[in-house]
């Protein structure tokens, strides 16, 4: 019986979820999507990409103020958000550790079996779930009530559409507009 395909990689190549392989030197800092030989377009994220790629800076600040990390990163980051995606969709996200390769400009790279819009949607959905979980442990009060009210009004697709249309992430100098 054949071994199941497990997406992942080494410091010089990345085995994509679709079965194709990409050399990590072909993935540059400005990439957000990869036109693959399989015919699909895959989202590309690197650890150096800011979390603001997915959510506004005020929310990034809130996440960093409330979530402590116990790893190599000083604060909640893109790496944590992509780890959440990979945990939720283990067969749909490949990751390569390129930290020993000084030529690529990033330490970790993730390539998803979804396009950048769907990945963006997935990241936001998981961050909202994380916030919902955190608020469920908080003492009931005005902050909890306000969050629950805002959550009822929150439309995931509308948020992602608006955020993507208002941002400027055309190169490695990502910045929210």
């Amino acid at each position: 019986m054949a071994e199941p395909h497990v997406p992942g990689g080494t410091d010089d190549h990345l085995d994509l979820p679709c079965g194709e392989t990409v050399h990590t030197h072909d993935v540059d800092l400005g990439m957000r999507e990869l036109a693959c030989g399989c015919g699909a377009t895959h989202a590309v994220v690197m650890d150096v990409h800011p979390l603001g790629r997915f959510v506004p800076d005020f929310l990034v600040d809130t996440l960093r103020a409330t979530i402590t990390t116990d790893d190599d990163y000083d604060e909640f980051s893109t790496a944590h958000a992509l780890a959440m995606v990979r945990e939720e969709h283990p067969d749909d996200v490949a990751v390569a550790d390129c930290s020993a390769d000084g030529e690529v400009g990033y330490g970790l790279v993730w390539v998803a079996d979804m396009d950048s819009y769907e990945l963006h949607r997935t990241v936001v959905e998981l961050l909202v779930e994380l916030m919902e979980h955190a608020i469920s442990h908080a003492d009931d009060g005005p902050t909890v009530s306000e969050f629950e009210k805002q959550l009822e009004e929150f439309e995931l697709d509308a948020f992602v559409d608006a955020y993507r249309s208002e941002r400027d992430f055309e190169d490695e100098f990502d910045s929210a507009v």
Side-chain angles (χ1 to χ4, degrees):
M1 175 177 227
E3 291 289 319
H5 175 73
V6 177
T10 64
D11 61 351
D12 66 348
H13 77 278
L14 188 58
D15 297 324
L16 305 182
C18 66
E20 297 285 329
T21 300
V22 169
H23 196 285
T24 55
H25 286 219
D26 294 334
V27 180
D28 65 61
L29 291 174
M31 277 182 125
R32 300 300 175 263
E33 288 190 319
L34 170 72
C36 184
C38 75
T41 301
H42 302 302
V44 176
V45 181
M46 294 153 201
D47 60 342
V48 295
H49 292 166
L51 191 53
R53 173 179 172 178
F54 301 104
V55 293
D57 288 338
F58 79 87
L59 187 54
V60 171
D61 293 341
T62 301
L63 290 167
R64 288 182 174 157
T66 56
I67 298 171
T68 57
T69 60
D70 188 18
D71 54 25
D72 293 340
Y73 296 90
D74 294 332
E75 57 192 5
F76 190 80
S77 66
T78 300
H80 298 99
L82 268 291
M84 290 169 55
V85 174
R86 193 152 194 244
E87 183 176 320
E88 190 73 21
H89 304 279
D91 297 331
D92 296 333
V93 181
V95 62
D97 182 348
C98 302
S99 56
D101 186 343
E103 294 181 31
V104 295
Y106 53 84
L108 295 171
V109 60
W110 297 266
V111 178
D113 203 27
M114 53 191 96
D115 64 19
S116 63
Y117 180 89
E118 187 59 30
L119 178 63
H120 190 163
R121 189 181 184 291
T122 301
V123 168
V124 172
E125 182 177 40
L126 291 172
L127 290 176
V128 168
E129 287 177 12
L130 177 67
M131 292 184 297
E132 275 183 295
H133 178 76
I135 206 80
S136 73
H137 293 289
D139 292 332
D140 197 22
T143 303
V144 172
S145 298
E146 179 62 25
F147 177 80
E148 289 172 347
K149 179 183 175 214
Q150 289 179 2
L151 191 58
E152 287 175 17
E153 299 170 2
F154 182 72
E155 294 183 26
L156 179 61
D157 291 321
F159 170 82
V160 172
D161 290 342
Y163 193 71
R164 291 175 72 84
S165 71
E166 294 176 12
R167 66 178 195 176
D168 179 21
F169 293 137
E170 295 299 320
D171 58 27
E172 66 270 21
F173 305 106
D174 290 353
S175 62
V177 177

